[in-house]
């Protein structure tokens, strides 16, 4: 399936064998995966992995992880060769056959899988490992062109034809093609808000594509939005809760990718996205003061941490101001808060008003 | 057995003596009935004098048995054995015989035991036997300063008397001085009023030994294992006296044999004259009185060590006493001046070559034979001096092996090769062990406690005069010089122990790492093989190379 992956793994294995035969201590390097090894460049628009590398040289302390890394690489090699796939969970269970070298908990195997991805600078799907996470849902003015698994013929999926349901984003979306005349894509945090907009045919009214992210968007979801937005030149607006989590986790990840997998963000981010709301200023503009909740300790911590450490937030002055405003107000607001003015206030008033001035959206 | 003490009946026992006129009135205070008739003082004094009589040493002992280590039945058993063994060892060493000692404890009734101690010593001449075993004797050691087990000279006779008082039986002695002479068997009691022996039996008997002494005493006692037990005492005695061959037969039929760990007698200690700085005023006065010198200057340089003619003259000048004064004629006031002058004068330290330490080698052999451990070490410090008395400290230490790991360290204390079993906490040795910071030596220690772990510590103090805290000779007084020396010896042992423990830990860690490495390395070979499809031979080669590289790197 993926000759390139096979070749990369074989090359690394050959190098290790060569070092061992030369009586050297074998070693592998992995880019350091943490926020302090993440670079953000406005022009590029996504998190990039920095220069920092951790060297895993075989030693008493590393022998276990080293052995597990080699074995997991071997597993990946075999999966790719046989054109098969394994979920992260399955890969974890395969290790149970490795005796002493087995993983005790799945986070252990996930971490090593991340190491291998980073080492080869590829996403895990290309290593034959797939995540179990759901990709998100889509409804609206969009036709997805997929392939029929049996005949291989193009399959046209009209995203307006799911009634009160929605199209489910597949885990691998590289092969998909799109047809759309939508004027924007609205990425929504909660399934509840997505349902309301679908129910009231908002995508027809506003001529848009609705995507439900269900919290922090998965890689597949980000990739889907990115490919759609890139190929059809459609703007992307995020509509999430007005709290630190919505801003610095959900939106930040959608736009520039995650800190933990910075080596993959080039593909798994949506740099053209902007933040529609809910903003702290909206609380004032739309008189939501009595529909807010006080910031919890964890919210405050998250906000302060973002101001201090998040390269994305630090780069953008409007974001720093928004977060500081929120901290100063000491409250958070949810998407559903507009129901205070009536259930469909969000459709009838809020979104149309906001959409008149996309240039005012937070970057 | 041979008593090394001189007879000095009742000298220290106190109130006895013939009453002197004039004094009794004062003494009688509180004793006389309330309404005292003042008239003729002489009559009253006479009447009181009539009431006063000599108190025998034996009577005194009877009332003060705790002073001599007979305060309870358990301790009485131990003290009896200890007195007999001390005498046997001293006698053998003086006669240059490698001691072979048999100790037997038999249970006769629930609280009645018989103690037998038999040796291969020089034996006791027939005429001496009743006096040695049937008369309480006092030792006087002021003038003859020499390292020995007994310092006070209360001998086996005290034990015999205790037996007699608690069971009514006699002390039974068999002794022979030469294969050419017959063995004598005696049964002796003490006339406790007059402190003289009563001979109940005196006969010649057949005895297999060429020379030696056997003493048997029946006494009220309690036998108990564990701390302060006879077994404990026996084991410790063997450790501090590696030249002894000892057999112990317990009341429960147990037989323990301890072959000699050293085939040589210890170097005989030398007798020295007292150092002036170690002498107290009272003793000084006594020495003045009993001196045979005619002139005080001669007295000073002849009866003390480290006093030359020049130094004696200097002392006398400071004291303002004429060099030609007669020692016997020095009055109390002058003696006091002399005493001060002595202490104000700088003197050479006393000679220290008079001591006979156990020695590091013998000590090591002793503990190796009696303690199963992984590590042994011993240190003999150079001699030092406290208050004019030369002394020398030795420490032996055993660690690991079968020593209990969860308990406090087992501390053994010895003074002149005699185990000290009681009053551990009052002893300078214990104090020093607690003060040494064991955590520095990889050993656990709680604040103010002995170290804990599989550790045995033996500390020996050899001295011409061991400063015990009380008559019962159970704890050594904490002179700073003594504590300091003990600590130095402990620290030296501690450093060696530390090196051993750390080496052990390093080795264990290395073994652990090796096992760890070996359980994961094969997976690297397997993984590479799965990717690269090589054969068994290559997989093995890779594994061997990896093992080599990794075990060599030791990272």
């Amino acid at each position: 399936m993926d000759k390139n992956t096979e070749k990369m793994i074989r090359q690394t294995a050959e190098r290790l064998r060569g070092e061992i035969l030369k009586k050297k201590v074998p070693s592998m390097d992995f880019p350091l995966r943490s926020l302090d090894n993440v670079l953000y460049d406005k022009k590029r628009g996504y998190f990039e992995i920095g220069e920092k590398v951790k060297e895993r040289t075989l030693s008493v302390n590393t022998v276990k992880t080293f052995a597990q890394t080699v074995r997991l690489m071997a597993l990946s090699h075999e999966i790719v060769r046989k054109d098969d796939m394994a979920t992260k969970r399955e890969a974890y269970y395969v290790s149970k056959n490795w005796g002493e070298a087995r993983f005790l908990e799945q986070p252990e195997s996930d971490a090593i899988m991340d190491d291998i991805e980073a080492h080869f600078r590829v996403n895990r799907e290309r290593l034959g490992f797939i995540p179990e996470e759901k990709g998100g849902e889509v409804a609206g003015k969009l036709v997805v062109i997929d392939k029929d698994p049996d005949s291989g013929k193009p399959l046209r999926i009209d995203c307006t034809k799911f009634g009160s349901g929605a199209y489910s984003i597949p885990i691998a979306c590289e092969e998909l093609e799109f047809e759309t005349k939508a004027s924007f894509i609205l990425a929504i945090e909660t399934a509840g808000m997505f349902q309301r907009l679908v129910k009231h045919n908002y995508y027809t009214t506003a001529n848009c594509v609705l995507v439900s992210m269900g919290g922090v968007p998965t890689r597949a979801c980000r990739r889907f939005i990115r490919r759609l937005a890139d190929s059809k030149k459609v703007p992307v607006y995020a509509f999430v809760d007005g709290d630190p989590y919505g801003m610095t986790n959900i939106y930040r990840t959608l736009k520039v990718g995650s800190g933990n997998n910075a080596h993959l963000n080039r593909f798994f981010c949506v740099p053209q996205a902007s933040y529609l709301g809910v903003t702290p200023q909206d609380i004032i503009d739309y008189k939501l003061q009595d529909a807010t909740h006080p910031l919890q300790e964890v919210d405050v911590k998250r906000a302060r941490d973002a101001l201090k450490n998040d390269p994305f937030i630090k780069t953008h002055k409007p974001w720093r101001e928004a977060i500081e405003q929120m901290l100063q107000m000491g409250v958070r607001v949810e998407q559903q808060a507009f129901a205070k003015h009536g259930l469909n206030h969000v459709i009838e008033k809020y979104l149309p008003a906001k959409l008149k001035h996309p240039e005012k959206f937070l970057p | 057995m041979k008593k090394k003490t001189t007879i000095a009946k009742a000298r220290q026992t106190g109130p006895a003596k013939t009453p002197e006129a004039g004094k009794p009135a004062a003494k009688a205070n509180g004793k006389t009935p309330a309404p005292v008739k003042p008239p003729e003082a002489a009559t009253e004094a006479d009447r009181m004098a009539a009431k006063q009589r000599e108190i025998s040493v034996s009577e005194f002992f009877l009332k003060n048995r705790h002073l001599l280590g007979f305060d309870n039945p358990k301790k009485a058993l131990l003290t009896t054995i200890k007195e007999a063994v001390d005498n046997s060892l001293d006698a053998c060493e003086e006669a240059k015989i490698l001691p072979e000692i048999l100790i037997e404890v038999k249970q006769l009734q629930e609280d009645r035991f018989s103690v037998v101690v038999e040796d291969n010593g020089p034996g006791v001449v027939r005429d001496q036997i009743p006096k040695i075993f049937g008369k309480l004797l006092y030792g006087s050691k002021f003038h003859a300063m020499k390292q020995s087990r007994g310092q006070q000279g209360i001998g086996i006779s005290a034990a015999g008397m205790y037996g007699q008082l608690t069971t009514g039986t006699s002390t039974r002695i068999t002794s022979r001085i030469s294969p050419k002479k017959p063995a004598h068997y005696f049964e002796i009691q003490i006339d406790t009023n007059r402190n003289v022996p009563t001979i109940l039996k005196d006969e010649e008997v057949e005895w297999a030994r060429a020379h030696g002494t056997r003493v048997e005493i029946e006494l009220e006692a309690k036998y108990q294992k564990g701390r302060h037990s006879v077994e404990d005492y026996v084991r410790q005695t063997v450790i501090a006296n590696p030249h002894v061959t000892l057999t112990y037969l317990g009341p429960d039929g147990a037989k323990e044999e301890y072959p000699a760990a050293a085939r040589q007698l210890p170097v005989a200690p030398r007798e020295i004259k007292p150092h002036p700085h170690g002498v107290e005023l009272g003793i000084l006065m006594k020495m003045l009185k009993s001196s045979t010198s005619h002139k005080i200057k001669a007295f000073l340089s002849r009866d003390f060590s480290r006093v030359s003619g020049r130094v004696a003259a200097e002392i006398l000048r400071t004291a303002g006493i004429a060099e030609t004064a007669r020692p016997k004629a020095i009055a109390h006031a002058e003696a006091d001046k002399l005493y001060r002058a002595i202490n104000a004068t700088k003197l050479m330290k006393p000679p220290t070559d008079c001591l006979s330490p156990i020695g590091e080698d013998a000590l090591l052999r002793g503990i190796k034979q009696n303690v199963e451990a992984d590590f042994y070490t011993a240190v003999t410090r150079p001699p030092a001096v406290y208050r004019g008395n030369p002394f020398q400290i030795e420490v032996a230490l055993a660690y690991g092996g079968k020593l209990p790991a969860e308990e406090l360290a087992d501390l053994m204390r010895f003074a002149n090769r005699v185990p000290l079993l009681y009053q551990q906490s009052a002893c300078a040795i214990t104090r020093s062990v607690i003060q040494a910071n064991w955590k520095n030596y990889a050993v656990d220690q709680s604040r103010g406690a002995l170290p804990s772990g599989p550790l045995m510590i033996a500390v020996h103090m050899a001295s011409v005069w061991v400063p015990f805290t009380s008559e019962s000779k159970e704890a050594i007084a904490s002179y700073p010089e003594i504590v300091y020396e003990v600590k130095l010896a402990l620290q030296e042992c501690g450093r060696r122990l530390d090196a051993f423990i750390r080496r052990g830990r390093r080795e264990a860690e290395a073994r652990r790492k090796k096992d760890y490495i070996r359980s994961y390395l094969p997976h690297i070979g397997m993984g590479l093989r799965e990717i690269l499809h090589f054969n068994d031979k290559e997989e093995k080669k890779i594994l061997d190379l990896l093992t080599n590289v990794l075990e060599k790197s030791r990272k």
Side-chain angles (χ1 to χ4, degrees):
Chain A
M1 162 192 159
D2 194 335
K3 291 288 163 201
N4 202 24
T5 307
E6 235 183 294
K7 197 173 150 201
M8 283 192 313
I9 295 177
R10 225 174 18 248
Q11 277 171 350
T12 297
E14 282 291 0
R15 185 178 57 75
L16 292 176
R17 173 163 72 169
E19 284 173 358
I20 296 166
L21 292 177
K22 275 186 233 150
K23 295 177 186 173
K24 283 186 188 160
V25 184
S27 73
M28 293 176 80
D29 56 40
F30 306 95
L32 201 61
R33 289 182 290 107
S34 67
L35 261 192
D36 45 333
N37 191 33
V38 163
L39 309 172
Y40 177 67
D41 182 341
K42 256 193 219 176
K43 280 189 197 125
R44 290 189 174 218
Y46 53 87
F47 274 1
E48 275 184 304
I49 191 117
E51 297 291 309
K52 288 180 202 164
V53 161
K54 69 176 168 188
E55 183 109 355
R56 186 170 296 156
T57 303
L58 184 61
S59 74
V60 175
N61 294 328
T62 63
V63 63
K64 184 177 181 184
T65 16
F66 204 97
Q68 289 174 328
T69 309
V70 174
R71 291 219 67 169
L72 200 63
M73 263 167 55
L75 176 65
S76 160
H77 184 259
E78 192 193 336
I79 292 171
V80 173
R81 204 165 51 85
K82 290 185 180 164
D83 197 10
D84 202 345
M85 52 133 235
T87 64
K88 289 160 88 179
R89 190 77 181 157
E90 284 169 334
Y92 159 69
Y93 279 117
V94 169
S95 86
K96 293 295 185 187
N97 191 32
W98 297 350
E100 282 295 305
R102 70 183 175 275
F103 298 109
L104 299 179
E105 300 287 346
Q106 196 192 324
E108 293 174 20
S109 58
D110 288 356
I112 291 199
M113 204 178 283
D114 287 348
D115 281 347
I116 297 176
E117 278 187 308
H119 174 77
F120 291 118
R121 311 285 200 284
V122 299
N123 50 319
R124 70 172 82 88
E125 286 80 0
R126 290 185 56 197
L127 294 171
F129 299 121
I130 55 165
E132 280 112 62
E133 57 202 8
K134 238 180 115 183
E137 299 189 315
V138 181
K141 298 286 195 181
L142 171 69
V143 172
V144 178
I145 302 165
D146 204 341
K147 272 186 199 136
D148 186 287
D150 294 327
S151 62
K153 283 181 184 163
L155 199 63
R156 293 173 57 86
I157 303 163
D158 185 343
C159 295
T160 56
K161 300 280 196 304
F162 285 89
S164 50
Y167 169 68
S168 205
I169 297 175
I171 284 166
C173 54
E174 292 304 321
E175 312 290 320
L176 301 180
E177 286 177 37
F178 308 103
E179 279 176 15
T180 185
K181 291 214 163 67
S183 45
F184 64 94
I185 301 166
L186 191 64
I188 301 152
E189 173 177 346
T190 61
M193 180 55 67
F194 178 77
Q195 279 301 322
R196 169 158 301 281
L197 298 185
V198 171
K199 174 105 181 155
H200 292 275
N201 244 339
Y202 178 71
Y203 50 77
T204 309
T205 331
N207 186 32
C208 68
V209 179
L210 301 172
V211 179
S212 165
M213 299 186 287
V216 176
T218 62
R219 290 181 185 191
C221 182
R222 279 179 273 156
R223 186 67 189 143
F224 181 91
I225 298 173
R226 169 73 177 282
R227 288 201 64 238
L228 173 60
D230 274 0
S231 61
K232 297 297 161 192
K233 307 273 179 280
V234 196
V236 178
Y237 306 138
F239 180 30
V240 305
D241 285 346
D243 61 15
Y245 189 74
M247 297 171 182
T248 70
N249 288 60
I250 297 175
Y251 174 69
R252 204 280 323 274
T253 304
L254 173 73
K255 174 148 176 137
V256 298
S258 82
N260 195 30
N261 288 306
H263 58 287
L264 303 171
N265 288 332
R266 191 143 51 99
F267 311 104
F268 299 99
C269 63
V270 186
Q272 58 267 65
S274 56
Y275 187 93
L276 176 150
V278 185
T279 65
Q281 186 59 37
D282 288 342
I283 299 175
I284 301 160
D285 295 347
Y286 295 88
K287 301 190 171 51
L288 296 172
Q289 287 92 335
D290 43 6
T292 60
H293 294 91
L295 288 174
Q296 301 293 306
E297 203 176 307
V298 40
D299 295 322
V300 174
K301 190 170 169 289
R302 201 189 295 279
R304 290 200 196 289
D305 192 47
L307 285 173
K308 201 174 148 216
N309 298 318
D310 192 315
F312 170 74
I313 303 289
K314 286 202 296 193
T315 304
H316 293 282
K317 195 175 170 217
W319 268 116
R320 292 202 305 274
E321 287 167 353
I323 289 175
E324 266 154 17
Q325 185 184 10
M326 175 173 60
L327 281 170
Q328 201 200 337
M329 291 164 78
V331 292
R332 43 184 275 263
V333 63
E334 290 174 11
Q335 291 179 303
Q336 283 92 334
F338 298 101
K340 171 197 159 193
H341 301 301
L343 285 172
N344 286 324
H345 179 84
V346 66
I347 296 175
E348 290 155 9
K349 298 276 159 54
Y350 178 70
L351 288 175
K354 290 292 276 196
L355 284 164
K356 271 183 202 151
H357 303 286
E359 74 284 356
K360 287 186 181 166
F361 291 175
L362 286 169
Chain B
M1 291 177 203
K2 180 174 171 290
K3 203 139 264 180
K4 59 209 164 290
T5 45
T6 52
I7 302 169
K9 187 192 78 171
R11 190 189 284 171
Q12 300 179 325
T13 336
K17 302 290 168 78
T18 33
E20 291 167 44
K23 275 191 179 174
K27 270 196 145 183
N29 264 344
K31 277 187 187 173
T32 35
V36 179
K37 272 170 79 183
E40 302 101 325
T43 326
E44 185 67 10
D46 282 343
R47 199 170 60 76
M48 283 164 55
K51 275 206 271 178
Q52 290 183 341
R53 59 185 176 80
E54 184 167 357
I55 297 170
S56 83
V57 205
S58 329
E59 256 182 293
F60 176 76
F61 164 71
L62 194 59
K63 287 178 178 150
N64 296 287
R65 50 165 93 163
H66 59 277
L67 292 181
L68 301 173
F70 293 94
D71 24 355
N72 61 60
K74 184 182 173 185
K75 207 164 157 186
L77 180 67
L78 204 60
T79 304
T80 301
I81 295 171
K82 202 171 153 178
E83 290 296 351
V85 172
D86 282 358
N87 280 357
S88 285
L89 290 174
D90 275 344
C92 285
E93 281 164 24
E94 206 169 323
K96 309 262 181 247
I97 297 169
L98 270 173
E100 286 167 25
I101 291 177
L102 167 84
I103 302 171
E104 187 175 2
V105 179
K106 289 181 279 193
Q107 184 158 22
L108 307 176
Q109 291 165 27
E110 209 206 320
D111 60 348
R112 189 179 282 202
F113 288 80
S114 160
V115 168
V116 177
V117 174
E118 191 178 315
D119 65 52
N120 64 337
V124 184
V125 293
R126 182 176 173 277
D127 295 348
Q128 286 278 328
I129 294 173
K131 276 191 243 166
I132 286 176
F133 293 96
K135 192 171 165 74
L136 279 185
L137 305 169
Y138 280 86
S140 162
K141 308 275 305 175
F142 322 122
H143 300 263
M145 301 282 283
K146 183 182 170 188
Q147 177 190 338
S148 65
R149 291 182 175 77
Q151 282 176 329
Q152 290 167 325
I154 292 287
I156 187 71
S157 42
M161 193 168 71
Y162 173 81
Q164 177 186 331
L165 291 168
T166 52
T167 67
T169 58
S170 318
T171 303
R172 298 189 278 277
I173 305 105
T174 311
S175 190
R176 187 178 196 177
I177 57 171
S178 156
K180 289 175 199 147
K181 304 237 171 131
H184 294 280
Y185 174 77
F186 276 87
E187 287 187 9
I188 292 166
Q189 293 209 343
I190 302 175
D191 178 340
T192 51
N193 283 329
R194 299 191 300 134
N195 189 20
V196 290
T198 311
I199 301 169
L200 300 175
K201 202 174 258 181
D202 169 6
E203 56 190 36
E204 289 185 6
V205 290
E206 288 295 310
W207 203 32
R209 278 194 189 276
H211 53 83
T213 305
R214 172 190 169 95
V215 58
E216 180 169 3
I217 294 169
E218 240 178 87
L219 70 160
E220 188 185 296
K222 191 175 165 196
Y223 172 82
Q224 223 173 29
K225 297 231 171 184
R227 247 169 88 83
H228 304 158
S229 65
V230 180
E231 286 80 3
D232 230 19
Y233 163 77
V234 167
R235 196 167 65 100
Q236 295 195 22
T237 299
V238 172
I239 287 173
N241 298 275
H243 58 294
V244 174
T245 303
L246 199 146
T247 306
Y248 167 66
L249 300 169
D252 44 10
K255 182 178 184 182
E256 286 172 36
E257 295 196 70
Y258 299 91
R263 298 302 309 163
Q264 265 184 323
L265 277 165
V267 178
R270 239 166 23 85
E271 189 174 320
I272 59 160
K273 288 172 189 160
H275 189 272
H277 284 170
V279 167
E280 280 160 27
L281 180 57
I283 296 166
L284 177 66
M285 288 167 73
K286 218 165 246 175
M287 287 173 73
L288 285 165
K289 270 202 186 110
S290 57
S291 175
T292 52
S293 301
H294 295 291
K295 294 178 180 167
I296 182 93
K297 188 180 167 194
F299 160 77
L300 286 175
S301 51
R302 205 181 293 163
D303 289 6
F304 289 100
S305 61
R306 300 304 195 213
V307 182
S308 62
R310 197 184 53 78
V311 173
E314 189 191 329
I315 292 172
L316 292 169
R317 213 172 28 252
T318 315
I321 298 171
E323 290 182 11
T324 51
R326 276 168 57 81
K328 284 187 167 60
I330 298 282
H332 184 279
E334 282 180 303
D336 191 39
K337 272 189 202 157
L338 181 61
Y339 177 73
R340 284 167 199 278
I342 285 171
N343 284 297
T345 308
K346 259 197 140 167
L347 295 170
M348 256 179 89
K349 287 190 170 178
T352 52
D353 55 355
C354 53
L355 298 169
S356 171
I358 302 169
E360 292 175 1
D361 287 348
L363 204 50
L364 272 179
R365 276 202 291 277
I367 55 168
K368 277 183 184 165
Q369 208 167 79
N370 293 288
V371 181
E372 276 190 63
D374 296 329
F375 171 79
Y376 304 89
T377 189
V379 164
T380 298
R381 294 279 311 156
V385 175
Y386 80 91
R387 281 191 52 94
N389 296 307
F391 73 100
Q392 198 161 1
I393 295 295
E394 297 177 277
V395 168
L397 197 145
Y399 182 86
K402 292 200 171 164
L403 290 164
E406 307 294 321
E407 290 169 24
L408 289 182
D410 184 11
L411 174 61
M412 297 184 190
R413 299 169 292 134
F414 302 95
N416 288 345
R417 295 172 183 261
V418 178
L420 307 177
L421 293 178
Y422 285 89
Q423 296 224 22
Q424 174 164 297
S425 56
C427 187
I429 289 176
T430 314
R431 204 164 155 187
S432 315
V433 173
I434 290 172
Q435 282 177 13
N437 192 353
W438 291 90
K439 284 186 181 156
N440 289 345
Y441 310 121
V443 176
D444 287 341
Q445 183 183 22
S446 309
R447 248 182 105 82
L450 288 174
S452 61
L455 183 62
M456 197 260 349
I457 306 166
V459 182
H460 177 226
M461 173 175 180
S463 179
V464 296
W465 185 262
V466 179
F468 289 112
T469 55
S470 71
E471 325 291 317
S472 49
K473 302 206 293 181
E474 287 157 345
I476 298 172
S478 295
Y479 281 95
E481 296 88 346
I482 297 175
V483 172
Y484 178 72
E485 278 295 317
V486 176
K487 274 210 254 181
L488 285 183
L490 287 168
Q491 283 161 356
E492 177 60 35
C493 286
R495 279 190 289 274
R496 295 178 193 170
L497 174 64
D498 179 54
F500 169 80
I501 293 177
R502 287 187 199 282
R503 192 167 60 236
R505 284 183 188 164
R506 271 200 306 277
E507 280 165 7
E509 178 68 2
R511 266 197 306 281
R512 202 185 60 73
K513 277 185 181 170
K514 203 166 166 174
D515 289 350
Y516 183 77
I517 290 170
R518 295 201 168 187
S519 63
Y520 291 114
L521 278 187
H523 290 280
I524 297 178
M526 271 185 258
L528 291 180
R529 182 182 176 165
E530 279 173 32
I531 300 169
L532 302 172
H533 306 290
F534 42 70
N535 57 23
D536 280 355
K537 211 175 128 197
E538 177 152 11
E539 188 181 333
K540 191 176 176 303
K541 187 179 174 189
I542 290 215
L543 182 58
D544 289 348
L545 287 169
L546 276 174
T547 310
N548 261 335
V549 159
L550 202 50
E551 283 179 4
K552 234 184 285 163
S553 84
R554 283 265 173 273
K555 259 189 270 174

